[in-house]
Amino acid sequence: MIVGVHGIRCLRYLTRAGSPELAARALADEWASALGASYASGVVEAAYYAHLLDLGTPQGEDDPELLSRPGQEMLMDWVSALGAPAEVTMGRTTLPVRQAAEWLARRHGDMARRFVVLFCREADTYVADPGSARRQQARAELNRVLDLHRPRVLLAHSLGSVVAYEALWHQPAELDLLITLGSPLGLPGAVYDRLSLGEGNDVRRGERPPGVRRWVNVADIGDIVAIPRDLPTRFPGIDAHHEVSLGLVASHKATRYLGVPEVAAEIAACV
């Protein structure tokens, strides 16, 4: 049994399916298909939490100035990590987020700019307040699915890797394998320094969660979410790290990550 936990921009599954339960089923079936013919429906389950972070803001809203103050700070941390020059990142008191977003567009393309703004909106909803009900509910949903299905493997994509890492510290689960895909866990300031791991937060940060026997990270060489690319530099608890190439357009797409040989090999060795 494999459980997957998704990243951002997954509210569309709920819109199409009509309920969180059906959205989870649709997502699980899509991920099973991406993994290959060996993984039929029922072998893969999904933890679905997108509705728990929905603030009613259309996901098409990609204006950086519409972000909350913490969301704007996250955007500035992001462009700093991507190597933006000082003239773009300095002056944080005035939060020149439009200038930062324009730098992103020039350096990585307008699609990247839109994606980062959308990511900051949804991710900030999760990480801004360590004790928020939304954050606790997202973790609780993953813990519920893990308790229900008792999987051997957990696949965590993008923001889902943050939800999973925190959930596995707050309520440990026995897992043979945790695979993080396109993970922003190491993003300085915006994510890494905001992780909420319960008692002993600073000591735990970077270690493998209890109950997890093996932790593997996979990052595309061009994925602007998976920064720093070499996540083990911040997370020594990672047992193996694979850099892959998904292609320019699909460098963060979950189904493309699930289809790489490195993921197949790690799962096959486990199950």
Side-chain angles (χ1 to χ4, degrees):
M1 177 67 69
I2 298 170
V3 163
V5 56
H6 63 80
I8 73 160
R9 301 192 71 188
C10 285
L11 195 62
R12 65 187 186 276
Y13 291 92
L14 178 62
T15 302
R16 295 170 186 167
S19 72
E21 294 77 18
L22 291 175
R25 183 70 268 150
L27 184 67
D29 289 346
E30 182 177 287
W31 281 30
S33 178
L35 285 169
S38 300
Y39 302 96
S41 179
V43 176
V44 180
E45 299 291 342
Y48 184 79
Y49 65 89
H51 59 300
L52 300 173
L53 302 184
D54 179 32
L55 300 177
T57 303
Q59 290 192 3
E61 294 283 355
D62 61 353
D63 185 341
E65 293 184 350
L66 295 180
L67 291 170
S68 66
R69 178 68 176 247
Q72 293 181 0
E73 292 173 348
M74 178 179 284
L75 177 59
M76 299 305 293
D77 287 337
W78 207 308
V79 297
S80 295
L82 287 171
E87 57 266 26
V88 172
T89 58
M90 68 187 302
R92 286 169 174 266
T93 55
T94 57
L95 288 175
V97 290
R98 187 164 297 282
Q99 179 178 331
E102 289 171 354
W103 177 87
L104 262 174
R106 290 194 303 272
R107 179 74 176 270
H108 298 279
D110 192 61
M111 185 180 295
R113 177 197 67 80
R114 293 184 69 253
F115 180 83
V116 169
V117 173
L118 292 170
F119 190 102
C120 287
R121 176 176 292 111
E122 200 162 337
D124 177 64
T125 303
Y126 181 81
V127 302
D129 179 359
S132 75
R134 292 177 184 273
R135 191 170 188 163
Q136 294 174 22
Q137 288 166 358
R139 291 198 303 255
E141 176 58 18
L142 175 56
N143 288 137
R144 183 191 70 80
V145 173
L146 293 177
D147 285 344
L148 177 63
H149 297 290
R150 305 284 178 171
R152 297 181 65 182
V153 179
L154 174 61
L155 303 171
H157 177 243
S158 190
L159 180 60
S161 68
V162 181
V163 177
Y165 191 69
E166 291 191 347
L168 290 170
W169 276 109
H170 282 273
Q171 186 175 320
E174 293 296 320
L175 290 167
D176 289 337
L177 179 63
L178 166 66
I179 302 182
T180 47
L181 308 162
S183 176
L185 274 166
L187 185 63
V191 177
Y192 181 78
D193 298 297
R194 297 186 187 182
L195 289 173
S196 172
L197 308 178
E199 190 175 345
N201 189 74
D202 291 337
V203 176
R204 294 173 171 181
R205 189 183 290 123
E207 296 304 313
R208 186 192 317 125
V212 175
R213 294 180 180 85
R214 180 172 170 80
W215 178 8
V216 174
N217 184 65
V218 183
D220 174 77
I221 57 175
D223 190 343
I224 61 172
V225 175
I227 49 176
R229 195 85 56 237
D230 186 16
L231 196 60
T233 58
R234 282 186 173 269
F235 288 82
I238 292 174
D239 296 290
H241 173 75
H242 302 291
E243 289 196 357
V244 299
S245 180
L246 304 180
L248 183 61
V249 174
S251 64
H252 189 65
K253 193 174 178 64
T255 51
R256 288 294 295 273
Y257 267 115
L258 294 170
V260 301
E262 290 83 355
V263 170
E266 290 287 354
I267 295 176
C270 172
V271 301

